[in-house]
Amino acid sequence: HALNYEQRDWLVKKTHNKFPVMVIGSTVECTSTELNNPQKFTVTDRFRILYFGSLDAFKGFDIFLRIVKEMEGIGVSDHVEFVIAGSGSLEVELVELMKFYDNITFVKSPSDSDKKRIMHDCDLFVYPSRHDNFPLTVAEAQIAGMPVLVSDVISTANIVINGETGFTLPINDSHLFIEKINYYYDLWSNDKARYLEIRFNIYNASKRLCKENVLPLYLKMIEEFNQND
């Protein structure tokens, strides 16, 4: 069993392709609440771009900071807000950047209940990680109906439906990240009905990641293992 295609390829190579390897991601809790009810999806007065994770280079937070700086440099709408939740070694750089811009909100070391509220309140999830086994927050963002922009590392390939629930993009191409951010901002700004429809579709597509849909895959894997034993 592997969490992503990178792990699968490694296991296949190590076992000389003697055993079948199934790719099954971690389970995601999808219990319906006021915070992930698609009927509660709304458009507020600010377009909130969320980074949620460790504030370090391993998770690509330096790339996210570069995206923020480039967007701030060319000028962003008064309706755009960057929401950053987490903690890590690059927190110093973030705090320094916040001295120059008042449209950055920082939530340090958020709790699980904070996570649900933050994801409910945001409009786009950006996560340019360099490596992950199974980036749970990317799955949770989609469950919250958020479009996601992630780096094209193998671990995201079985989580994001490229072009449908978001986009997988080259890690260091901040310009392409900004292009896609502007794509969703333009939808949010100019066609709110279409933007909400996209969120609803993402929510529906993400149900494949929910615990009740993933657990049967584990049971199937165990059954096949017992049959081959």
Side-chain angles (χ1 to χ4, degrees), residues 75-90:
V76 297
S77 166
D78 292 338
H79 296 293
V80 171
E81 178 181 354
F82 298 98
V83 179
I84 297 165
S87 60
S89 58
L90 294 178

Side-chain angles (χ1 to χ4, degrees), residues 39-128:
Q39 304 303 323
K40 301 292 184 180
F41 293 161
T42 59
V43 175
T44 63
D45 61 336
R46 298 204 109 185
F47 183 73
R48 294 178 171 89
I49 301 167
L50 174 63
Y51 174 96
F52 198 113
S54 297
L55 310 185
D56 57 48
F58 194 65
K59 300 300 184 183
F61 185 62
D62 58 319
I63 300 171
F64 183 82
L65 286 179
R66 187 197 316 158
I67 291 169
V68 174
K69 290 176 184 177
E70 290 182 10
M71 290 186 68
E72 298 283 17
I74 60 178
V76 297
S77 166
D78 292 338
H79 296 293
V80 171
E81 178 181 354
F82 298 98
V83 179
I84 297 165
S87 60
S89 58
L90 294 178
E91 184 179 325
V92 175
E93 284 82 350
L94 170 60
V95 172
E96 186 64 26
L97 188 63
M98 291 173 66
K99 295 178 181 178
F100 299 96
Y101 305 107
D102 60 3
N103 61 342
I104 302 175
T105 298
F106 176 39
V107 182
K108 184 173 181 177
S109 303
S111 65
D112 286 341
S113 59
D114 288 334
K115 178 193 288 188
K116 292 178 181 178
R117 176 185 54 78
I118 291 167
M119 288 193 170
H120 173 266
D121 291 343
C122 290
D123 303 286
L124 176 65
F125 188 78
V126 179
Y127 192 69

Side-chain angles (χ1 to χ4, degrees), residues 39 64 86 97 146 202 226-227:
Q39 304 303 323
F64 183 82
L97 188 63
M146 261 192 295
I202 290 171
N226 290 333
Q227 290 175 351

Side-chain angles (χ1 to χ4, degrees), residues 124-144:
L124 176 65
F125 188 78
V126 179
Y127 192 69
S129 177
R130 290 183 169 86
H131 181 76
D132 262 293
N133 289 323
F134 184 88
L136 190 61
T137 52
V138 175
E140 292 171 326
Q142 292 171 91
I143 299 286

Side-chain angles (χ1 to χ4, degrees), residues 5 9 11 23-25 64 68 90 92 113 148 168 187 190 208:
Y5 296 118
D9 294 344
L11 285 170
V23 177
I24 307 175
F64 183 82
V68 174
L90 294 178
V92 175
S113 59
V148 297
T168 57
L187 274 176
N190 299 314
R208 74 196 190 285

